[in-house]
Amino acid sequence: MASIPAYERDPSLRSLLTEVVQAGDDRGRPFVVLADTILYPDGGGQPADRGQIAGVTVEDVRTVDGTIRHYLTGPPPAGRVTVELDWARRLDHMQQHTGQHLLTAVAEQRMGWRTTAFHLGEQVSDIELDTPKIAPEQLMGLEEAVATEIRACRPVTARRVSQQELATLPVRTRGLPEGFTGDIRLVEIAGVDLNTCGGTHVGSTAEIEALKLLGTEAMRGGTRLFYVAGARLRHLLGVHHERSAKLRQLVGTSDDELPAGFSSKLDQLKEAHRTVKALEEELAVECARALALGQGPVLHAHWPARDLTFLQRVAKELARLDPERIALLTAGAEGQGAFVLWAGERATIDLAASGREVAEILGGRGGGSGRIFQGKATGLSRRTEALARLRTHA
Ligand SMILES: [Zn+2]
């Protein structure tokens, strides 16, 4: 491996001719180590690159015991190979990452907030700040200050320095790892920030394009601040715009009126639910009355479009009207029905035993309490059989 990998020497390289120096297998995952690489391995909050080596897809890049392993989806190539970088993904990472450097530096200089962590997410990224609360106007001020630095097209450069030199520089660092020896890599945003970092960055703040703060979340000991930068920001705006258009069409209002429009639709829906509930209540009462007029010791009815709750309401009403008899009530479609076996308080039937019998015939299971035995029924076509059995008990 070249002492400084190509992705670090020139982060704009998209393809590289190099050599496979080792091929291996890590628990069923084939990998190669290259003489040099333009694929950045996962580290420092920046996810690993993707790409291809001699046409074989690289699905992950990791540093293991000081060497960079390129994990492949197919058999490892050998000898001289061309490495191709998934540039869109890398540029996106460089925009989020360089955006983070700038955001962190501006937050520290303008507000005195220190960054304690950084996450480059798949959709949005965030930094953790050591401040308990951020007011909306502070957020706006911070975003404006970052935008000013983006417009200033400040060069972003990287270099390596010795530990002795590091000690003389005004570097923003959280300290070197215990026992670290060798050179330290510094990344500088001219006139704004100097900090230790091993990642890849765009060449100027202008290449960040834009950075939008998306809000905060309280966390123990600080505040998480969400943001998007670069091409992601345009993409995200596009997604939101399209979604708004669909919602406008659904609700029939302008963008500004969408929240009020939805709120009013939800109110209407609640009102409609209340009406349906009241009508079902009335219907259950009417159905029970009609049933009670029936002949024979076992009353019965089936409602294809109703459910178990409706059957319970009918049974409740029957209890008021007819204390002598029993009723088998069913609802729903074949395969997904429900049943209620009800017995009036003066009916002499072993409700639990009969209930289990009915459940078995109707291909379901159930349980009972009081004067009701209820359950699911998958075989409603056998209702007649269940009724015949009940009549032998009643
Ligand atoms: Zn960095």
Side-chain angles (χ1 to χ4, degrees):
M1 167 67 68
S3 58
I4 296 175
Y7 63 75
E8 190 179 318
R9 297 196 306 273
D10 182 1
S12 68
L13 280 179
R14 302 182 194 195
S15 110
L16 178 77
L17 190 64
T18 183
E19 213 164 330
V20 174
V21 296
Q22 189 199 336
D25 182 286
D26 182 351
R27 282 164 296 177
R29 297 173 75 204
F31 70 85
V32 289
V33 177
L34 303 172
D36 194 6
T37 188
I38 50 171
L39 301 187
Y40 179 75
D42 184 87
Q46 184 176 331
D49 283 338
R50 299 286 183 269
Q52 298 203 315
I53 299 172
V56 183
T57 300
V58 178
E59 61 170 12
D60 201 7
V61 189
R62 302 261 156 188
T63 305
V64 180
D65 300 330
T67 57
I68 298 173
R69 289 184 178 180
H70 304 75
Y71 289 94
L72 305 167
T73 58
R80 301 275 291 166
V81 289
T82 300
V83 186
E84 304 278 351
L85 169 68
D86 177 344
W87 174 249
R89 176 183 160 94
R90 158 70 79 72
L91 177 60
D92 169 54
H93 289 169
M94 296 202 298
Q95 287 180 319
Q96 312 312 313
H97 186 154
T98 314
Q100 178 262 316
H101 279 240
L102 183 58
L103 178 59
T104 287
V106 173
E108 188 161 327
Q109 283 152 24
R110 276 184 68 106
M111 313 293 192
W113 302 330
R114 268 173 19 90
T115 297
T116 54
F118 161 51
H119 309 104
L120 201 166
E122 296 234 339
Q123 259 103 42
V124 300
S125 300
D126 67 86
I127 58 172
E128 292 176 13
L129 293 164
D130 68 347
T131 177
K133 211 170 174 350
I134 300 178
E137 54 276 15
Q138 287 179 307
L139 221 52
M140 280 170 63
L142 183 57
E143 190 178 285
E144 274 308 322
V146 168
T148 302
E149 300 304 344
I150 291 173
R151 282 195 299 271
C153 306
R154 295 185 182 273
V156 180
T157 51
R159 66 179 190 274
R160 284 181 176 259
V161 296
S162 67
Q163 297 207 19
Q164 287 75 16
E165 194 184 345
L166 180 74
T168 68
L169 295 168
V171 175
R172 175 173 64 78
T173 176
R174 281 188 275 150
L176 298 172
E178 183 81 16
F180 181 88
T181 58
D183 288 349
I184 295 98
R185 186 161 183 259
L186 296 180
V187 174
E188 179 164 21
I189 301 175
V192 176
D193 189 39
L194 182 61
N195 118 66
T196 57
C197 185
T200 57
H201 309 81
V202 293
S204 152
T205 57
E207 290 176 53
I208 299 171
E209 295 187 39
L211 188 147
K212 174 71 189 162
L213 301 180
L214 295 176
T216 60
E217 189 180 274
M219 47 166 278
R220 206 164 51 166
T223 303
R224 188 168 287 131
L225 174 58
F226 296 93
Y227 73 93
V228 284
R232 264 189 204 205
L233 184 47
R234 285 185 282 116
H235 173 75
L236 191 67
L237 181 61
V239 168
H240 280 257
H241 198 71
E242 229 170 273
R243 187 183 299 144
S244 286
K246 282 181 191 155
L247 293 176
R248 282 197 305 271
Q249 213 171 16
L250 276 175
V251 185
T253 62
S254 67
D255 247 1
D256 292 345
E257 290 163 344
L258 270 180
F262 263 104
S263 177
S264 134
K265 292 276 177 207
L266 283 175
D267 285 345
Q268 287 169 19
L269 195 60
K270 273 186 212 156
E271 186 54 40
H273 274 305
R274 273 195 290 271
T275 306
V276 167
K277 222 181 138 192
L279 287 174
E280 276 204 331
E281 201 74 55
E282 282 177 32
L283 182 64
V285 170
E286 289 308 319
C287 286
R289 281 184 190 156
L291 255 182
L293 297 175
Q295 301 298 311
V298 183
L299 304 171
H300 61 92
H302 174 68
W303 293 276
R306 303 260 72 82
D307 59 5
L308 183 61
T309 311
F310 180 76
L311 301 183
Q312 290 164 336
R313 283 187 190 134
V314 174
K316 196 174 134 198
E317 187 61 19
L318 273 179
R320 255 174 17 88
L321 296 170
D322 192 334
E324 310 284 346
R325 291 190 283 183
I326 64 175
L328 177 62
L329 312 174
T330 55
E334 181 68 15
Q336 46 194 352
F339 79 94
V340 159
L341 179 62
W342 164 83
E345 60 184 84
R346 290 207 290 276
T348 55
I349 182 177
D350 182 345
L351 191 65
S354 297
R356 282 195 296 272
E357 227 173 341
V358 167
E360 204 188 315
I361 295 170
L362 295 182
R365 270 199 309 219
S369 69
R371 305 301 289 168
I372 279 186
F373 190 101
Q374 66 193 39
K376 286 181 181 164
T378 59
L380 289 178
S381 56
R382 294 178 70 194
R383 272 182 72 238
T384 323
E385 202 182 315
L387 277 170
R389 187 69 60 85
L390 281 174
R391 286 191 183 111
T392 64
H393 299 317

